[in-house]
Amino acid sequence: MTEALAFVEKTEERFCEAELRRLQGELLLQQSPDNATEAEACFQKALDLAQHQQAKSWELLAPVYDWFTEGFDTADLKDAKALLDELAEGG
């Protein structure tokens, strides 16, 4: 992950940077629940980047999830819904 983010910084190719930040957050959570604050910062950075790039598929959190009117059977929206449900439960 570190190498991928370093490549983004070096080349300024930012197409997948939001997804890299999201994955970084996921990895931090898998390593330890104690990384929740740092993971949340990664998720927020991913959201900010996605919004800046107007990349709806990279910013699947509550406001954007609610924007969709169809496609709820796609993997991305299923994953987003599961994450939103988990966050709503405090987990």
Side-chain angles (χ1 to χ4, degrees):
M1 182 60 58
T2 303
E3 290 177 21
L5 290 170
F7 179 80
V8 167
E9 291 301 319
K10 180 181 175 182
T11 63
E12 296 189 20
E13 289 291 330
R14 304 204 179 275
F15 173 71
C16 291
E17 185 178 8
E19 178 64 358
L20 289 172
R21 297 295 179 176
R22 186 193 68 77
L23 289 172
Q24 184 180 30
E26 292 287 342
L27 289 171
L28 286 166
L29 288 176
Q30 286 180 5
Q31 290 172 348
S32 171
D34 294 336
N35 293 334
T37 301
E38 191 177 353
E40 182 179 350
C42 292
F43 295 141
Q44 186 60 53
K45 178 72 173 173
L47 179 59
D48 293 344
L49 288 164
Q51 288 173 340
H52 178 73
Q53 294 172 343
Q54 297 181 346
K56 296 292 184 202
S57 64
W58 298 128
E59 59 171 313
L60 290 175
L61 293 177
V64 177
Y65 182 84
D66 293 338
W67 176 83
F68 286 89
T69 59
E70 59 185 292
F72 295 104
D73 58 341
T74 64
D76 285 343
L77 289 180
K78 285 181 179 179
D79 290 346
K81 177 67 172 144
L83 178 60
L84 289 169
D85 289 346
E86 182 180 331
L87 291 171
E89 293 172 4

